[in-house]
Amino acid sequence: MKRVIGHPFFWIIILSPLFLWLLILLLPTFDDWTYLTTPCFDDFTADSLLPYKSYWRPFDAIFGHILGLNYRLFPTLNHICIYTGHLASAFVLYRILKTIGFRQHACNIALLFFFFSPAMLGTVYDIDSINQVYAQFWGLVATWIYLNKSKRTDYILWFVCAYIATFSKENGITWFVLPPIMAFALNRIKLKNCIQDLILALIPVFLYFMVRYLLTPENITINEKYLDFSLHTKLRNIGLILMMTWVPFDYVAVFYAPERNLFLAANTLLMTCPFLCMLFWKNRKELFHKTFLLLFLCTFIATSPHLVTLSTAMHAYASLAIAAIIVAYLLHQLEHTGWLKISFVLFLFSCLLIDAHHWLKAYESGLTGRRMSMEAIQKTGKPIQKAFVISIESGNDKYSMFCVQPKDCFAWGYSTRLVTEYKWPKELRDTNLVENDRVVIDKITRKAFQEGFDRVWILHHDTVDVVAP
């Protein structure tokens, strides 16, 4: 019993109701209102499972239709599924660490690193990130199966889990190649077997791309932000993933101007430094070892689809489990661990401070969206069919999904649908203005009424003005 109570996973389970309650308090903003994992009231057909726009995520489509059966489940069910996925990923990661044979203290610290690292915030705090969580979960299951394989049918299970990861989110396809490379890095298989399995894995990868090509409509449009292949963007993507994974500090206190607090950011960074120094400086010789180099390469492979296209706070999660395995590996090599507990307690405390501050800002952003929605509905006064939204830019102060601009909290008017129980308005259209030009606003308003819109909602920062015909 003492051993159970002393295990970090025991306390994670005990505290999970509190964590989940805090997550459920976070409300949707921005893309949360327009992605597949919002309530979908259309009839479910086979087409719902086919590629949509630039992605193929049938599980998200199914989830949206489930929410459509009872819109009140949104976004609570999203939070429950995301947190459950994060918890399940932590459990499978721990089983992988034990399978590899790392020391107990290394497994425990790596588990806590994964669970509380700020690199998980953009995924676990989000509402439309079910895909990111389960892409990693099924990838970890695929890796656990591969590391414990004893018969040929285990290869089929590996491929099935990797396929589920891929249909969760496109970066899941990397789990067709990651398990053999990780197994070779950890001396579980020889190079010859690694190469053979990688070649074998190319077959299901080829089949996926072939089927997807045949099923994808020809007239799809891809957001331009995914097509920025400039060197500056790629270096930014790499830097963002590396920093969020390995350099925890309060990013809100640095990158969000209204909340800038360099003292807080510096202190959260300083508290993480002793553990990171012990991890990397005391193991500096290991940084040139095959195991570390290949595992570090695997973190780039896991995030490669995001590095090539677009990287945000959410995407750091894709390689977080592999980063935790690196932590366990380096800790396993340490001979003298006298200051390890103290340094990790400081590291963990810093992470909890960062997590709490990011939660607060995400909570405030959600409240802003709900307040603006209620204001728009109250000023409208009665149910309408069509609303036109004019959003006036009010600066560029924002940070990921935590510190969201009021106009994005309002989400092009879609946030009002939860207030009206998805009954009205039935149609929304919007436009953005860089300046508060009264002449332009009046012109757009007159045109909207000519096209049959019942009301025009004009956003001035976090205030909504309603104009009737």
Side-chain angles (χ1 to χ4, degrees), residues 64-358:
H65 280 86
I66 292 174
L67 291 176
L69 299 176
N70 185 350
Y71 71 88
R72 291 180 179 84
L73 296 173
F74 177 76
T76 300
L77 186 60
N78 300 59
H79 285 304
I80 292 173
C81 290
I82 290 169
Y83 182 76
T84 301
H86 184 53
L87 193 64
S89 294
F91 176 77
V92 178
L93 170 65
Y94 183 78
R95 297 312 308 165
I96 289 173
L97 297 174
K98 295 299 290 183
T99 295
I100 295 170
F102 291 135
R103 297 177 186 176
Q104 188 62 48
H105 75 275
C107 295
N108 291 346
I109 290 177
L111 171 65
L112 292 171
F113 174 88
F114 170 80
F115 200 83
F116 292 106
S117 168
M120 63 82 186
L121 295 176
T123 293
V124 177
Y125 285 11
D126 213 340
I127 289 170
D128 66 350
S129 58
I130 296 173
N131 44 55
Q132 191 74 57
V133 169
Y134 285 97
Q136 177 156 262
F137 168 73
W138 287 105
L140 289 172
V141 174
T143 302
W144 183 82
I145 290 172
Y146 184 88
L147 293 175
N148 291 278
K149 66 183 186 302
S150 58
K151 49 188 181 297
R152 292 185 178 181
T153 53
D154 290 335
Y155 280 85
I156 297 175
L157 292 176
W158 163 32
F159 290 159
V160 168
C161 291
Y163 264 131
I164 297 175
T166 304
F167 285 122
S168 296
K169 192 167 188 177
E170 286 74 9
N171 64 286
I173 202 167
T174 59
W175 294 100
F176 280 104
V177 299
L178 285 170
I181 298 175
M182 293 168 65
F184 173 63
L186 295 163
N187 300 313
R188 305 278 298 187
I189 60 173
K190 296 181 179 179
L191 178 60
K192 177 183 176 181
N193 302 115
C194 175
I195 294 174
Q196 288 175 343
D197 290 347
L198 287 174
I199 293 173
L200 181 64
L202 291 178
I203 297 174
V205 170
F206 173 77
L207 289 174
Y208 168 80
F209 281 113
M210 183 179 69
V211 173
R212 177 165 179 168
Y213 175 77
L214 293 174
L215 295 178
T216 301
E218 295 181 0
N219 58 343
I220 64 165
T221 57
I222 300 177
N223 195 317
E224 291 183 359
K225 64 184 180 181
Y226 291 97
L227 301 175
D228 185 354
F229 298 110
S230 64
L231 179 62
H232 172 267
T233 299
K234 300 311 156 195
L235 292 176
R236 172 201 166 277
N237 290 349
I238 294 173
L240 185 146
I241 298 297
L242 287 175
M243 285 188 63
M244 296 206 71
T245 304
W246 297 110
V247 192
F249 64 87
D250 197 327
Y251 290 93
V252 167
V254 174
F255 296 121
Y256 185 53
E259 292 277 328
R260 186 160 291 151
N261 186 334
L262 298 183
F263 178 78
L264 175 61
N267 275 279
T268 54
L269 178 60
L270 286 173
M271 282 190 286
T272 64
C273 284
F275 175 71
L276 294 175
C277 288
M278 180 168 286
L279 195 65
F280 291 104
W281 179 249
K282 283 201 169 186
N283 281 299
R284 54 191 180 277
K285 292 183 180 179
E286 293 294 333
L287 304 185
F288 301 96
H289 192 273
K290 177 198 75 172
T291 300
F292 176 83
L293 291 174
L294 285 177
L295 288 176
F296 194 64
L297 173 64
C298 285
T299 64
F300 286 98
I301 295 174
T303 55
S304 57
H306 306 307
L307 296 177
V308 171
T309 54
L310 175 72
S311 292
T312 65
M314 177 194 294
H315 300 136
Y317 192 79
S319 60
L320 183 56
I322 302 175
I325 294 174
I326 292 176
V327 169
Y329 166 73
L330 292 176
L331 290 176
H332 183 78
Q333 309 305 315
L334 284 178
E335 294 296 334
H336 304 288
T337 59
W339 291 97
L340 179 60
K341 288 184 178 180
I342 296 175
S343 66
F344 183 70
V345 167
L346 285 172
F347 178 90
L348 186 60
F349 181 69
S350 177
C351 288
L352 291 173
L353 285 178
I354 297 167
D355 296 348
H357 192 197
H358 281 65

